[in-house]
Amino acid sequence: MERDGRQDQEADTAAYRAGLRRVLDVASPSVARRLEALRDSATARTDGVTIDVFPDQEGDGTFAVWARFSGADSFTLDRLVGDERQLFTVVWAEHGWEPAVPERPASWSTARFEDVLFGVVVEWIDPLVPPDAAHLRWEVTTPDGTRGFHPVGPGR
């Protein structure tokens, strides 16, 4: 029996999500520590932490995930924490993607890639937010605003 295009797309999505999640899960202990450090750096004038998912502009498969503070002290805190706000990044290296995330299916549009990427990052980050950080608003978004703000963590 021949599969139709929708079944192929669903299979591609499931395979990509599973492969990406395996790579993200390897980074989870380090990311959890960074999120705890963000929680610990927050001041009384910190409203929350926003996790930005930056897909590359060509939609090839590289991306980065950064955290930033919101609230009156956000600028100062972002500078203080510096590059430790980078939670995860994928770059093209001499022998392929580093870390070795799965290739984006060729049939996917850039928008499809961004949708799937955003969904996987939200599911991955949610349980990593420190459970005792409910006093802060934690959310995931894209810097261009195309994905809105998705609450994560214990206070959602």
Side-chain angles (χ1 to χ4, degrees), residues 74-96:
S74 62
F75 180 79
T76 302
L77 290 172
D78 286 347
R79 295 265 187 220
L80 177 70
V81 176
D83 287 345
E84 290 300 305
R85 296 180 305 112
Q86 182 178 314
L87 303 177
F88 189 84
T89 191
V90 177
V91 296
W92 182 256
E94 184 177 346
H95 300 290

Side-chain angles (χ1 to χ4, degrees), residues 39-62:
R39 175 207 55 210
D40 295 345
S41 297
T43 67
R45 296 172 10 129
T46 304
D47 297 330
V49 176
T50 301
I51 311 295
D52 289 311
V53 180
F54 291 92
D56 70 338
Q57 293 184 355
E58 286 80 40
D60 291 332
T62 61

Side-chain angles (χ1 to χ4, degrees), residues 90-155:
V90 177
V91 296
W92 182 256
E94 184 177 346
H95 300 290
W97 301 127
E98 287 199 14
V101 296
E103 292 288 328
R104 176 191 121 177
S107 64
W108 283 8
S109 66
T110 299
R112 177 74 181 147
F113 167 69
E114 290 176 2
D115 285 344
V116 173
L117 173 63
F118 185 79
V120 173
V121 170
V122 165
E123 291 170 4
W124 169 63
I125 284 287
D126 185 54
L128 299 179
V129 175
D132 59 349
H135 62 289
L136 296 169
R137 182 182 65 246
W138 296 80
E139 53 197 8
V140 180
T141 191
T142 53
D144 63 5
T146 58
R147 299 301 178 271
F149 291 91
H150 191 284
V152 292

